[in-house]
Amino acid sequence: IRRTVGMLAISGASVGAVIGAAGMSGVAPGSSVIWLWVGVAVAAEMPTVIAGPVLLLRSRVSAAGAWDSAQALVQVVSIVVFAVSGSGAVRPVLGLVVASLLRLVSFLVVFRNFFGTGINGADRRFTIEQIRFCLPLGVALATGTLARTADKWILAWKSPHQIGLFAVAAQEVPLLAVLPYA
């Protein structure tokens, strides 16, 4: 569990940094501040996705349901409160950041007993082997997901009034998306 949380934290920080850098450099459309905050939210949220499965693994089904419900409620309330407190797109994103940070803090408190003192040599070797084994599939999944949605985001950016029509017309056959992974 410790290794998985560590890998998720590294992944989240990496993805968050890329999102923030893309926004700050002007590569991503929209406000650079929004992209920076989205990067922070991703980095804070990623290590916590293991909470529900860990509780289920420990046969704590009710606790897993309570965790997911509570976190969803915090996220909705945070986003809505920030959205109605001001105008613009930055406010709901700040709500998302607050919810992600609260989730991270509560995760660290609830699961503090799962974290040891550090990574020994065997853990480090296993982690490197795990990255080598999973990286090609991760890149394939990310590329496939981005390839399926990139055109919609580009159209939304360039021609926002036609995105609904395009989204309906561009529905893909699920079998075709699964074939490369099979």
Side-chain angles (χ1 to χ4, degrees):
I1 292 170
R2 183 183 70 214
R3 283 192 301 262
T4 302
V5 170
M7 293 298 295
L8 288 169
I10 291 168
S11 298
S14 300
V15 170
V18 168
I19 291 171
M24 297 305 284
S25 69
V27 171
S31 170
S32 60
V33 172
I34 290 176
W35 288 104
L36 182 63
W37 286 120
V38 168
V40 170
V42 167
E45 183 100 12
M46 188 77 85
T48 68
V49 299
I50 196 173
V54 167
L55 291 169
L56 289 174
L57 176 71
R58 301 288 176 155
S59 298
R60 298 184 59 200
V61 178
S62 296
W67 172 269
D68 287 341
S69 298
Q71 296 306 322
L73 181 65
V74 167
Q75 187 170 19
V76 168
V77 169
S78 295
I79 292 171
V80 169
V81 165
F82 274 82
V84 298
S85 70
S87 61
V90 175
R91 294 288 184 162
V93 172
L94 287 176
L96 180 66
V97 170
V98 167
S100 297
L101 291 173
L102 286 172
R103 182 178 175 112
L104 179 62
V105 169
S106 62
F107 175 80
L108 292 173
V109 169
V110 170
F111 293 92
R112 67 185 171 276
N113 294 332
F114 287 96
F115 305 113
T117 58
I119 297 176
N120 61 30
D123 286 344
R124 190 172 290 117
R125 284 189 300 277
F126 177 77
T127 301
I128 292 169
E129 289 174 20
Q130 190 176 21
I131 290 170
R132 285 185 189 149
F133 181 77
C134 295
L135 191 61
L137 177 61
V139 170
L141 288 171
T143 304
T145 302
L146 291 174
R148 289 192 313 261
T149 60
D151 53 349
K152 293 177 186 83
W153 285 102
I154 291 170
L155 183 67
W157 174 39
K158 293 291 189 183
S159 186
H161 58 282
Q162 294 180 347
I163 186 65
L165 178 64
F166 181 76
V168 171
Q171 290 301 313
E172 62 189 49
V173 179
L175 179 63
L176 297 176
V178 174
L179 283 179
Y181 308 114

